[in-house]
């Protein structure tokens, strides 16, 4: 099933021809309207007619998050404010947020890409979409909302929080599709259990989860606890919001990135060198239809790989692998590189352990330390101390063997780790708090 079959199944040559045409127009647009790009492209010797083939993209300079911060709030916009109909901003934890603006056409395109994403995930007209992504400056809520309306589904604009009420609504309104962060879906499952509600009795069929990294093991846990099919959705506010890429329900093998609107590249984050298909590196995205804030070769910091292999679903758009994390979330513990998602994968494979964990990194004298706090189930927690000790030792050993990093595992009481209604906080790095 497709939302826009013609565009979702374009042959590769047609995708590339469209990309080139749109890229040329985009370069002209930013040269004309954005002083930042006039300067950065000018320095690289790029003029209005420099892009002749798609390979020429590699000659263009990168755009960094810092460039957006330096242009706060509106100086990267390529359209006059009279044409900007919506403003969103990223949830930066420090300093000023990154601000993005959308023209009517941008909102239109975003809605279509979200509608395509819903269909790819297995949703359709007639579905009741329970949207628990946060509404506000965050792009999750409104992005999914407009996509659901474009699809013609009934959307319940829940936003995050008030978990008990969410469950009641889901039950009474007969929600069939749930959209929220993967961590929040597990919180909901837990809250439902406490209320004596079994997800098996709900009408929920599909979950569309993203905005934070999650593992394949976490998917299995969610699918089992919520009795649904769960797919991964990717996006970032700088590029658009949710719906930049989505897994198809048919394969669940990588996320189709909508290549008629975005050109993805994978690079070595250290050297900037282009990496071929299948190699893991940083995802760089060029927007080719955005009017409000088009970005050239935007450094997402997200780590993935790309595949152009045909997919059983019939979509021809390339697939990016589930994000292993952000390069700036990668922990370096005594020289060993570790992504929180790798630890998550190991924890989720351990019987008796709950999907709620926190990594605490510290430094004692000159030595980095990693403490893995993870909840155990009620039953396990009331078990004998020696069993708990044996379990933590076993997990420590597995982490050491699989990731090469020594850590201390602390099994904590059920529900002692803060639950999230949006993006979960998985890491506290005390080394940077000196
Ligand atoms: O998180 C947009 C979004 C909303 C995506 C709802 C999916 C669903 P930002 O707040 O700007 O936008 O954060 C973007 O979140 O660069 C990734 O590091 C991370 N991220 C988003 N989706 C995924 C995912 C929204 N599926 C940043 N897997 C991105 C892993 C993700 N990380």
């Amino acid at each position: 099933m497709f939302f826009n079959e013609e565009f979702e199944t374009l042959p590769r040559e047609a995708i590339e021809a469209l990309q080139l045409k749109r890229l040329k127009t985009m370069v002209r647009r930013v040269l004309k309207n954005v002083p930042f790009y006039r300067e950065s492209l000018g320095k690289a010797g790029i003029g209005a007619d420099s892009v002749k083939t798609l390979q020429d993209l590699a000659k263009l300079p990168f755009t960094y998050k810092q460039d957006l911060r330096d242009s706060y709030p509106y100086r990267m916009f390529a359209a006059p404010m009279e044409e900007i109909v919506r403003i969103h901003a990223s949830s930066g934890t420090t300093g000023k947020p990154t601000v993005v603006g959308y023209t009517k056409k941008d909102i239109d395109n975003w809605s279509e890409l979200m509608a395509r994403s819903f269909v790819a995930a297995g949703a359709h007209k007639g579905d009741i979409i329970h949207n628990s992504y946060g509404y506000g400056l965050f792009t999750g809520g409104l992005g999914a909302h407009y996509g659901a309306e474009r699809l013609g589904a009934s959307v319940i604009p829940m936003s995050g929080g008030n978990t008990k009420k969410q469950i009641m609504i889901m039950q009474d309104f007969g929600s069939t599709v749930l959209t929220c962060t993967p961590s929040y879906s597990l919180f909901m499952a837990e809250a439902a259990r406490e209320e004596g509600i079994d997800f098996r009795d709900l009408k929920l069929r599909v979950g569309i989860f993203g905005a934070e990294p999650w593992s394949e093991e976490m998917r299995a846990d969610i699918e089992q606890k919520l009795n649904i099919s769960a797919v991964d959705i990717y996006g970032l506010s700088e590029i658009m919001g949710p719906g930049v890429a989505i897994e198809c329900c048919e394969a669940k093998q990588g996320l189709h990135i909508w290549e008629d609107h975005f050109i993805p590249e994978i690079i070595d984050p250290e050297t900037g060198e282009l990496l071929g298909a299948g190699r893991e590196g940083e995802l760089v995205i060029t927007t080719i239809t955005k009017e409000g804030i088009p970005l050239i070769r935007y450094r997402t910091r997200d780590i993935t790989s790309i595949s152009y292999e045909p997919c059983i679903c019939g979509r021809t758009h390339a697939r990016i692998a589930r994000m292993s994390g952000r390069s700036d979330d990668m922990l370096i513990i005594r020289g060993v590189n570790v992504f929180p998602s790798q630890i998550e994968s190991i924890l989720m494979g351990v019987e008796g352990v709950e999907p709620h964990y926190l990594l605490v990194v510290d430094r004692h004298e000159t030595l980095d330390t990693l403490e893995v706090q993870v909840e155990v189930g009620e039953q396990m927690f009331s078990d004998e101390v020696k069993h708990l000790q044996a379990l933590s030792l076993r997990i420590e050993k597995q982490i050491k063997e699989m990731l090469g990093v020594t850590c201390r595992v602390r099994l904590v009481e059920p529900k002692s780790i803060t639950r999230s209604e949006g993006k979960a906080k998985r890491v506290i790095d005390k080394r940077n708090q000196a």
Side-chain angles (χ1 to χ4, degrees):
M1 284 265 282
F2 303 101
F3 179 75
N4 181 340
E5 183 163 358
E6 182 193 347
F7 278 85
E8 291 177 54
T9 60
L10 278 180
R12 177 113 316 255
E13 313 79 69
I15 291 182
E16 290 181 359
L18 190 58
Q19 285 180 328
L20 180 60
K21 182 168 153 248
R22 290 181 165 175
L23 177 63
K24 286 178 178 174
T25 311
M26 222 281 296
V27 168
R28 285 198 196 102
R29 181 179 178 88
V30 296
L31 278 171
K32 182 158 165 267
N33 298 345
V34 188
F36 166 82
Y37 278 122
R38 251 197 313 276
E39 193 184 323
S40 74
L41 292 178
K43 266 194 208 146
I46 305 292
D49 298 313
S50 299
V51 175
K52 299 211 157 50
T53 67
L54 276 182
Q55 283 64 43
D56 290 336
L57 180 62
K59 296 182 190 153
L60 307 192
F62 294 121
T63 308
Y64 297 86
K65 195 174 182 87
Q66 190 58 41
D67 297 323
L68 287 169
R69 292 214 178 96
D70 293 344
S71 316
Y72 182 83
Y74 303 141
R75 274 178 288 131
M76 285 286 258
F77 286 13
M81 283 317 276
E82 299 77 62
E83 286 176 26
I84 299 290
V85 299
R86 176 98 67 80
I87 294 170
H88 279 287
S90 81
S91 50
T93 42
T94 50
K96 302 273 195 199
T98 347
V99 183
V100 290
Y102 303 75
T103 64
K104 198 164 177 309
K105 181 82 188 139
D106 291 335
I107 296 287
D108 208 49
N109 285 334
W110 185 12
S111 308
E112 152 144 9
L113 297 187
M114 260 316 296
R116 283 191 205 175
S117 302
F118 273 121
V119 174
H124 45 70
K125 218 176 151 83
D127 263 319
I128 299 181
I129 300 182
H130 186 105
N131 184 20
S132 306
Y133 283 119
Y135 281 66
L137 285 179
F138 177 55
T139 50
L142 283 168
H145 185 104
Y146 273 60
E149 285 190 353
R150 171 64 65 86
L151 173 62
S154 316
V155 55
I156 311 176
M158 285 305 300
S159 201
N162 210 342
T163 308
K164 272 192 188 168
K165 186 168 171 189
Q166 301 252 4
I167 312 282
M168 182 192 82
I169 299 266
M170 222 181 274
Q171 209 176 12
D172 295 351
F173 291 18
S175 314
T176 52
V177 176
L178 172 64
T179 51
C180 63
T181 57
S183 55
Y184 192 40
S185 79
L186 282 170
F187 183 12
M188 285 190 191
E190 185 179 66
R193 214 167 41 237
E194 276 165 19
E195 298 288 302
I197 294 164
D198 188 345
F199 261 89
R200 252 162 279 268
D201 298 333
L202 303 187
K203 295 221 175 93
L204 216 56
R205 200 182 74 243
V206 174
I208 304 175
F209 305 125
E212 65 184 10
W214 54 312
S215 57
E216 212 39 61
E217 291 78 6
M218 180 80 83
R219 185 207 316 260
D221 195 43
I222 294 175
E223 290 194 328
Q224 191 260 326
K225 287 187 174 140
L226 279 80
N227 191 31
I228 56 173
S229 159
V231 305
D232 192 4
I233 182 164
Y234 170 80
L236 62 169
S237 51
E238 298 93 307
I239 295 301
M240 180 176 82
V244 171
I246 182 91
E247 267 178 341
C248 55
C249 59
E250 293 92 339
K252 291 190 189 169
Q253 289 272 336
L255 295 81
H256 291 279
I257 175 159
W258 301 119
E259 287 188 273
D260 49 339
H261 293 265
F262 311 109
I263 307 182
E265 297 170 279
I266 303 291
I267 63 158
D268 177 328
E270 302 296 328
T271 63
E273 177 208 349
L274 265 182
L275 302 177
R279 297 196 43 204
E280 186 165 85
E282 179 180 339
L283 175 65
V284 169
I285 301 180
T286 300
T287 68
I288 46 174
T289 51
K290 283 251 304 267
E291 296 179 342
I293 178 163
L295 294 178
I296 292 178
R297 304 194 84 202
Y298 184 69
R299 299 281 301 255
T300 66
R301 297 282 169 205
D302 293 316
I303 304 296
T304 181
S305 59
I306 197 159
S307 159
Y308 294 91
E309 293 295 311
C311 182
I312 52 163
C313 73
R315 289 177 187 81
T316 48
H317 298 239
R319 280 175 288 167
I320 51 176
R322 177 186 277 287
M323 300 290 146
S324 48
R326 291 177 60 76
S327 55
D328 31 16
D329 282 353
M330 188 177 74
L331 298 168
I332 306 180
I333 314 280
R334 271 167 269 150
V336 183
N337 300 350
V338 191
F339 282 111
S341 59
Q342 293 176 300
I343 295 182
E344 177 181 302
S345 292
I346 295 175
L347 294 177
M348 297 292 304
V350 179
E351 183 96 34
V353 156
E354 296 292 313
H356 305 287
Y357 65 95
L358 183 67
L359 311 180
V360 183
V361 187
D362 206 347
R363 179 168 290 146
H364 291 300
E365 298 183 351
T366 53
L367 215 58
D368 299 324
T369 58
L370 169 64
E371 180 178 86
V372 176
Q373 298 180 2
V374 60
E375 282 182 21
V376 285
E378 292 281 356
Q379 212 179 352
M380 181 67 91
F381 199 71
S382 52
D383 208 346
E384 281 182 50
V385 173
K386 66 171 194 253
H387 288 152
L388 289 175
Q389 274 170 348
L391 178 62
S392 32
L393 283 176
R394 206 168 74 228
I395 304 174
E396 283 168 10
K397 191 159 167 264
Q398 265 190 40
I399 293 179
K400 175 75 189 172
E401 276 172 12
M402 294 174 78
L403 306 177
V405 65
T406 308
C407 68
R408 184 170 163 251
V409 169
R410 194 147 75 84
L411 302 176
V412 298
E413 236 176 296
K415 301 223 214 63
S416 55
I417 289 175
T418 312
R419 301 291 185 258
S420 110
E421 295 166 351
K423 294 181 192 250
K425 185 165 176 56
R426 305 286 196 195
V427 180
I428 296 179
D429 196 336
K430 295 183 174 168
R431 293 175 301 185
N432 311 327
Q433 296 168 0

